[in-house]
Amino acid sequence: MMRTYLFLLIAVMFETFGSSCLQASQQFTRFWPTVGVVFGFAGAFYFFTLVLKVLPLGITYAMWSGIGMVLIAGSGWLIFGQRLDWAAIAGIALIIAGILVINLFSNSASH
């Protein structure tokens, strides 16, 4: 099961990379960031399919998108200088809390 969560984390990292490249590609007008978009999302979907062999789609997608949103918000802040106000930080904390609730208390997080 730890391997499954490792694959999920790898999928999220690829997705975070691809989304960051999407911002940097400036609507696909810059070559290398555009290549990064394709590479990032291809890797994300590949590892996402490996996770789906073990975890149900709804739970997997909830965790993937939740963790991805947190990392993308961090990436936007760190790399692109996008600000996070207190409401955004509170929302991110609630997303993290939701992911923890799913994994700690739900029986749906396993086949």
Side-chain angles (χ1 to χ4, degrees):
M1 189 61 115
M2 288 302 291
R3 185 173 152 187
T4 301
Y5 284 104
L6 175 64
F7 286 163
L8 179 60
L9 184 59
I10 293 169
V12 171
M13 297 303 283
F14 270 106
E15 189 260 340
T16 301
F17 175 76
S19 294
S20 296
C21 287
L22 189 60
Q23 173 76 32
S25 76
Q26 297 177 357
Q27 294 75 41
F28 301 114
T29 60
R30 297 178 64 212
F31 180 74
W32 288 112
T34 300
V35 171
V37 171
V38 173
F39 175 75
F41 283 106
F45 287 123
Y46 172 74
F47 281 98
F48 187 72
T49 62
L50 298 178
V51 175
L52 290 176
K53 291 180 180 180
V54 178
L55 296 177
L57 174 63
I59 297 299
T60 301
Y61 190 77
M63 289 188 295
W64 182 44
S65 60
I67 296 167
M69 283 188 285
V70 171
L71 291 179
I72 288 299
S75 170
W77 174 74
L78 187 66
I79 297 170
F80 301 107
Q82 298 169 349
R83 295 184 179 202
L84 297 173
D85 60 13
W86 287 108
I89 293 169
I92 289 168
L94 289 170
I95 291 168
I96 293 169
I99 292 167
L100 290 173
V101 166
I102 289 171
N103 283 287
L104 296 175
F105 301 110
S106 175
N107 292 325
S108 298
S110 64
H111 274 299

